[in-house]
Amino acid sequence: MKIHPKLVFFLLLIIVGSEVGYAQLDTISAIDQLGGDGYREGQYPGLGRAASEIFYSDKPVTFSGYAELANVFNGGEPRDTSSEDLELFFNQLYRFTPFVGVRINKSIFLTAEFGIEYLEGNGESELHFFPELYMDFIVKKWMSFRAGLQPLNIGYINNNEEPLLFQSVNRPETERLILPTEWIEAGVTAYGDLYNKFNYALGFTNGVLAKDFKSASWIRGGADGQMESFNKIAINAQVNYLPVNNVTLSASTYYNESGRDEKITTDQGSKEVKAPVFVVSGYARWDYKAFSLIGMGTYGTLGETPEVYRLTEQNQGVGQVIGEEAYGFYIEPSFDLLKALGHSSKDEVKSGNIFTISNPELPLFIRYERMDTHSSVAPELQDLDYVRNNLNIWMVGFNYKPNHHFVVKFDVRFRDNLDPQEDVPASETLYELGIGIEF
């Protein structure tokens, strides 16, 4: 008998919703344990809350994770499928991501993620697995190490990918098309906290592959967490500044020679491709009573794009015109109605299932987003056909969180492509409904 992925997802959802207790019930603070953004307790550096469970528990082994369901409706109108990436235009998404954490001793931790997602859209369906496996070695508060297949420290969403940590049903397109969230690579990262005001990360990992790039999604196609080759190590750095408990200022960079010295044939003979990728990103977040504001931006460059065109032509059969420069940014204010009306409480219930009412929230939000995968194109490639995502996006929506472990989301995305390809809709209105669970 064939078991459909949807059935498996709903069975897991019922089990998680009715049986599991809250994660992270211990009293160890994020600051004491070198915690992430500092004021959002329960987040270990570079990780979401569910992934951080082992660092905040006295148990030698922990089981945690998150589940996510998303539906996108557009009234039967044509969708923009030019990216040829179902994750970017799905109608239904089912994602289940459990974590197993092991405390080997007081200084060494092992974390394994066994993510699975099922997508449907445009008459297609796909099943994806996205594992992570890494060890943390805590040496000093100012310097510890993480080794293995791990998320990069870049942007906002990549280290806050769990559905209760961002407002919209889907991740912002800037952090899907320019920064290829969820971006994981194999390598080693040093991280630490200085004076309870600064925390940093410096990673040396495997890099992206230029031969797999797609014009519609910049470097996303080459960022699959593969372990094909370590001949060109990528460097990823991030610094977070926490001047006060409700403010975070973050800056991060990434550099890698994505060509991996692959050879192409030119009129002058054989040539090695370097194709250096440089990305800088940053975000600022401010939470004040019922109000929250986040602004995020990123800018990237890719060298030797004519050579990348020839390399992708050799590897994919079709040459890809990749932008020499790409950028994206968004700004998102939100306002929690329940906090403003005094219906939210600081007292949090420490047991029960995901439907327990405890410190409920009802934030309303609006987001403006602007991005362009081809803000600059090499002169010799400008007259070729290619897919350009030159997007102007408005979004409005709300979340209802009965507690900090369950959320219902709804939003409307008004998506305009200012330079659409033929047969691609210039404008889309997308209605998105989702739920998220952290356990």
Side-chain angles (χ1 to χ4, degrees):
M1 181 180 70
K2 184 178 179 180
I3 300 177
H4 199 278
K6 289 184 183 179
L7 177 61
V8 174
F9 177 86
F10 281 114
L11 288 173
L12 290 170
L13 205 61
I14 291 170
I15 293 170
V16 167
S18 60
E19 297 296 335
V20 303
Y22 286 164
Q24 300 161 0
L25 304 183
D26 300 291
T27 58
I28 304 173
S29 74
I31 291 292
D32 291 340
Q33 281 291 314
L34 198 62
D37 284 346
Y39 68 94
R40 285 190 287 281
E41 292 191 0
Q43 279 189 257
Y44 201 68
L47 306 175
R49 283 203 305 244
S52 303
E53 171 73 4
I54 185 61
F55 301 96
Y56 297 86
S57 175
D58 294 329
K59 300 176 183 177
V61 179
T62 59
F63 299 92
S64 58
Y66 67 91
E68 192 172 2
L69 167 65
N71 282 270
V72 181
F73 312 92
N74 70 330
E77 296 295 322
R79 292 290 306 276
D80 181 355
T81 61
S82 58
S83 65
E84 301 179 351
D85 185 341
L86 185 55
E87 284 193 277
L88 299 176
F89 60 84
F90 66 81
N91 295 118
Q92 292 184 314
L93 173 145
Y94 307 85
R95 179 179 289 138
F96 185 73
T97 307
F99 296 92
V100 178
V102 180
R103 183 190 297 268
I104 297 173
N105 59 39
K106 66 178 183 179
S107 301
I108 301 176
F109 300 81
L110 173 69
T111 305
E113 174 187 332
F114 305 96
I116 181 172
E117 69 178 13
Y118 176 74
L119 305 167
E120 288 184 355
N122 198 43
E124 307 172 41
S125 64
E126 293 178 0
L127 185 65
H128 297 157
F129 296 93
F130 44 98
E132 295 180 19
L133 181 66
Y134 48 85
M135 295 186 72
D136 283 80
F137 303 87
I138 300 176
V139 181
K140 297 287 185 181
K141 186 171 183 177
W142 57 271
M143 180 172 287
S144 296
F145 299 92
R146 179 173 297 142
L149 193 61
Q150 59 187 284
L152 296 187
N153 292 276
I154 193 164
Y156 177 75
I157 294 292
N158 209 56
N159 307 113
N160 295 274
E161 81 282 4
E162 297 165 14
L164 279 93
L165 300 179
F166 58 93
Q167 305 276 26
S168 53
V169 175
N170 274 305
R171 283 77 172 158
E173 300 215 30
T174 293
E175 300 204 68
R176 294 197 289 169
L177 288 167
I178 308 301
L179 297 181
T181 302
E182 179 180 4
W183 193 354
I184 62 171
E185 299 287 0
V188 177
T189 299
Y191 60 90
D193 178 272
L194 302 173
Y195 311 112
N196 290 335
K197 294 290 184 182
F198 295 90
N199 57 65
Y200 73 90
L202 178 62
F204 301 89
T205 67
N206 198 7
V208 293
L209 292 176
K211 66 180 182 180
D212 293 330
F213 290 171
K214 297 283 188 180
S215 65
S217 54
W218 205 51
I219 65 172
R220 177 185 173 92
D224 279 337
Q226 48 71 39
M227 301 179 69
E228 181 175 324
S229 172
F230 282 84
N231 67 326
K232 294 294 179 181
I233 298 298
I235 302 173
N236 167 222
Q238 184 178 75
V239 175
N240 298 316
Y241 174 50
L242 303 101
V244 293
N245 283 345
N246 60 347
V247 173
T248 300
L249 304 175
S250 177
S252 51
T253 62
Y254 175 87
Y255 178 82
N256 176 235
E257 290 187 0
S258 64
R260 304 290 187 91
D261 291 336
E262 297 249 8
K263 292 182 171 59
I264 58 171
T265 302
T266 68
D267 294 338
Q268 289 74 40
S270 180
K271 179 180 179 180
E272 291 184 347
V273 181
K274 302 294 185 182
V277 173
F278 175 73
V279 180
V280 60
S281 75
Y283 74 86
R285 176 165 177 164
W286 175 43
D287 296 311
Y288 180 73
K289 297 183 179 179
F291 179 76
S292 181
L293 177 67
I294 182 168
M296 180 271 170
T298 186
Y299 168 80
T301 65
L302 174 64
E304 298 187 350
T305 54
E307 287 80 359
V308 172
Y309 180 87
R310 290 178 176 269
L311 179 61
T312 54
E313 189 175 37
Q314 287 180 187
N315 187 60
Q316 303 177 31
V318 178
Q320 301 290 329
V321 178
I322 312 298
E324 286 185 322
E325 298 180 10
Y327 75 89
F329 66 87
Y330 62 86
I331 184 167
E332 180 188 287
S334 65
F335 187 75
D336 188 335
L337 287 182
L338 292 182
K339 282 186 179 179
L341 297 173
H343 295 303
S344 185
S345 170
K346 294 183 179 180
D347 296 328
E348 184 170 352
V349 177
K350 298 299 184 180
S351 62
N353 59 40
I354 60 172
F355 304 108
T356 301
I357 304 298
S358 170
N359 197 17
E361 299 176 10
L362 183 60
L364 309 181
F365 72 93
I366 184 170
R367 177 193 296 156
Y368 174 70
E369 185 171 7
R370 182 74 176 90
M371 59 154 290
D372 191 351
T373 54
H374 294 78
S375 60
S376 177
V377 177
E380 56 265 54
L381 301 178
Q382 289 178 356
D383 294 333
L384 299 177
D385 291 331
Y386 60 91
V387 179
R388 178 182 183 181
N389 271 304
N390 185 14
L391 305 179
N392 192 72
I393 304 167
W394 284 94
M395 175 180 284
V396 293
F398 72 88
N399 293 183
Y400 174 62
K401 303 176 184 178
N403 51 63
H404 287 178
H405 302 272
F406 180 72
V407 62
V408 178
K409 302 181 177 184
F410 178 77
D411 57 60
V412 184
R413 182 165 31 130
F414 304 94
R415 186 181 190 269
D416 295 325
N417 194 332
L418 306 182
D419 190 16
Q421 190 183 29
E422 188 176 352
D423 299 325
V424 171
S427 297
E428 295 179 280
T429 300
L430 305 174
Y431 303 89
E432 303 176 329
L433 177 66
I435 64 173
I437 297 174
E438 176 188 317
F439 58 93

